[in-house]
Amino acid sequence: MRQVPMATIVVLGMLPGTGYGVVKFAKVNGAGDCSSWANACSLTSALQRARSGDEIWVQAGTYVGNFGVGRRLIGGFAGFETSAAQSNPRANPTILDGGHTQTVLYVGGAAYIRGFTIANGDHTSGFDDGGGGVAMFDGSVTFVDCIFEHNLGDYFGAAVYVEQGLAKFINCIFRENGTDNGTTTCSPAPCSPIADDRPLGAAGVFGKYAGLQFTNCLFVGNVAVTATAIAVQWGAVNIVNCTFYGNRETYSETNELIVADSRYLSIYSSIIRHDPMARDGAFAIPGCARATIAHSDIEDGWCSGPGLIGADPLFSSAANRQYDLRISSPCVNTGSNAFLPTDIGDLDWDGVTQEPIPFDLAGNPRVACGVVDMGAYEFVVDAAADCNQNQIPDKCEVADGTSPDCNGNDVPDSCDLATIGDCNRNGIPDNCESLGWVRVCCMPDDSCEQLTQCACTAQGGTWVSATKFCANANCGGAY
């Protein structure tokens, strides 16, 4: 086990205190007594002063250094809020930055960390462990609404290393952790200590004698020598409603994504896709035949189980890093509500943690059309759009196939008939068949009009191709 630097020991775990639950306020260059936003102190000072049960609110900004955390730490504040529920990390990014030279967070005790970007950490101690972004030993931590990016480590867990503990990640993003310098020298395996590509394993999260839980998480663009996203040695992994895309190994021929003792690996309602640049265009979850994997989109058929598919998930635009789903996605309404976890991170700030998780990674309702979607993002539905007033949102009817939508406007065809027209009364909107196309109509008096076929025929005209013309010279010549 790594020896934790002495400077951080005072803030690991729950410090002795009265348990009054006082809020400490921190901001960049703060020099106050931590008692209010007006008297905010530095983050280091707030961590040192906090006692068991206290909560630390951190104003938006970039905090460079390494910090020890063993209590509730919440970011995303503008600096005027009076309630934790007012925090907004999207509007007020709060960044803990390792400066490319050190581990960013050391976590001990029981910690709740919410609303931070943990970036640019680098673990190079030489021990056979890791954790450029976060290192945790003998503790329990819940991360909510956090982003882990651009973290490095020599051995395991570029973003997060957990040893002998439990780590829960809810609505978190792991992106572009690890690096590929293109000079890996570990051939044949096993690899020797790394001096080029980093880390050796798990650019996302590595657990040793640990339990890892992931809900509504996105893993994208992470790089490691092996096991690009998650790896566990003597532990358990539970993954629900997560999306993996574009994660890549620099050495293994199988492009292993998740490595765990498969007896303790479970994956539900998730999407797993390879990096288009992977060596063999595939990925692997070693031993997944013995794992519990269900109601997920698993590419390349590596795994079998109930409700598994291997289809293109039809992301909105993966090229533009938009991993929400199109209405035609096979992942819409095909997850499983049976595996929805409870709201242990209290995403809605209502203090109730035993209710079903209410939101997806983007903050939209987690279940939009009755059945949860696969992946971290739920298909977005306007609940008020109900053209036929049947109490089912229009997009839900289209998404589950209950109502056809021939013109792709996300409105049931039955509602389009009144606005678009159905001149031949066959139940198909005119703009879905040639009857509704606007072309040239040669009228009985040899004049020409731009009309639909139905309108043209009703007026005794002849409907012709746009590449042909009426006999009248004013219409372009003979046809």
Side-chain angles (χ1 to χ4, degrees):
M1 180 185 299
R2 184 190 315 175
Q3 300 299 310
V4 179
M6 291 297 294
T8 67
I9 291 178
V10 301
V11 291
L12 282 172
M14 290 296 186
L15 297 179
T18 58
Y20 291 138
V22 174
V23 174
K24 304 295 183 183
F25 299 84
K27 66 180 181 181
V28 174
N29 298 323
D33 62 4
C34 314
S35 62
S36 66
W37 286 123
N39 295 301
C41 58
S42 68
L43 177 55
T44 298
S45 180
L47 289 166
Q48 291 172 340
R49 297 182 185 213
R51 296 295 182 263
S52 178
D54 287 355
E55 192 168 82
I56 300 171
W57 296 3
V58 186
Q59 188 179 44
T62 299
Y63 300 78
V64 179
N66 67 312
F67 309 95
V69 180
R71 52 194 53 79
R72 290 177 66 88
L73 185 68
I74 301 174
F77 293 96
F80 62 83
E81 295 83 355
T82 58
S83 166
Q86 294 174 291
S87 66
N88 186 341
R90 292 179 178 85
N92 306 304
T94 311
I95 302 167
L96 307 180
D97 192 316
H100 303 286
T101 62
Q102 57 198 317
T103 294
V104 181
L105 286 180
Y106 290 97
V107 178
Y112 176 91
I113 301 171
R114 180 167 184 166
F116 290 91
T117 294
I118 299 169
N120 302 321
D122 196 342
H123 169 64
T124 57
S125 75
F127 291 93
D128 190 20
D129 51 27
V134 176
M136 187 186 86
F137 302 88
D138 302 307
S140 173
V141 62
T142 299
F143 288 97
V144 181
D145 282 332
C146 288
I147 297 172
F148 302 84
E149 64 181 6
H150 307 150
N151 297 291
L152 296 173
D154 281 351
Y155 286 90
F156 303 106
V160 180
Y161 178 90
V162 180
E163 184 172 325
Q164 295 182 338
L166 173 64
K168 303 174 184 178
F169 302 88
I170 304 161
N171 284 38
C172 290
I173 296 174
F174 297 82
R175 64 187 179 203
E176 298 176 1
N177 297 286
T179 184
D180 176 8
N181 292 321
T183 56
T184 302
T185 56
C186 50
S187 180
C191 299
S192 59
I194 304 303
D196 31 56
D197 296 355
R198 307 165 65 206
L200 175 60
V205 183
F206 181 86
K208 183 176 183 180
Y209 301 107
L212 305 177
Q213 298 179 14
F214 302 89
T215 303
N216 292 350
C217 290
L218 171 67
F219 288 77
V220 59
N222 299 289
V223 180
V225 175
T226 186
T228 55
I230 301 168
V232 171
Q233 184 179 24
W234 302 301
V237 182
N238 178 261
I239 298 169
V240 181
N241 279 110
C242 293
T243 297
F244 298 80
Y245 180 82
N247 302 286
R248 182 167 55 89
E249 285 191 346
T250 63
Y251 173 69
S252 173
E253 295 297 331
T254 57
N255 201 35
E256 294 175 344
L257 181 73
I258 302 167
V259 175
D261 184 333
S262 59
R263 292 172 297 174
Y264 305 104
L265 170 63
S266 56
I267 303 175
Y268 305 113
S269 303
S270 294
I271 298 172
I272 299 179
R273 306 294 291 181
H274 67 72
D275 185 335
M277 299 303 293
R279 290 171 183 259
D280 59 359
F283 74 92
I285 303 174
C288 70
R290 294 189 297 128
T292 303
I293 305 179
H295 300 280
S296 296
D297 188 354
I298 309 291
E299 188 175 11
D300 297 319
W302 276 91
C303 305
S304 60
L308 294 187
I309 61 175
D312 185 340
L314 297 179
F315 294 130
S316 177
S317 177
N320 293 312
R321 300 185 177 185
Q322 297 171 0
Y323 303 100
D324 56 315
L325 304 174
R326 301 181 212 168
I327 194 169
S328 55
S329 169
C331 299
V332 172
N333 288 352
T334 50
S336 174
N337 292 0
F339 301 111
L340 275 175
T342 56
D343 187 20
I344 57 175
D346 195 17
L347 291 181
D348 54 6
W349 296 102
D350 65 355
V352 179
T353 58
Q354 295 305 308
E355 62 185 350
I357 192 166
F359 302 128
D360 70 354
L361 181 54
N364 297 311
R366 180 62 270 191
V367 181
C369 296
V371 179
V372 68
D373 297 345
M374 296 178 181
Y377 297 96
E378 193 80 1
F379 178 68
V380 179
V381 171
D382 180 2
D386 180 17
C387 67
N388 51 14
Q389 299 182 348
N390 65 351
Q391 308 303 310
I392 302 174
D394 294 340
K395 284 190 175 182
C396 291
E397 289 190 63
V398 173
D400 65 15
T402 302
S403 296
D405 176 27
C406 66
N407 52 20
N409 66 352
D410 298 346
V411 175
D413 289 348
S414 58
C415 294
D416 277 338
L417 299 180
T419 56
I420 295 174
D422 180 20
C423 66
N424 58 355
R425 300 182 181 180
N426 66 349
I428 301 174
D430 288 341
N431 67 352
C432 289
E433 51 187 345
S434 63
L435 297 170
W437 299 350
V438 175
R439 287 184 177 174
V440 176
C441 179
C442 296
M443 305 300 287
D445 62 359
D446 205 26
S447 64
C448 53
E449 302 285 347
Q450 296 288 324
L451 297 173
T452 64
Q453 184 176 357
C454 282
C456 180
T457 303
Q459 297 182 47
T462 302
W463 196 66
V464 297
S465 169
T467 60
K468 297 180 181 180
F469 305 93
C470 298
N472 190 318
N474 293 328
C475 296
Y479 64 94

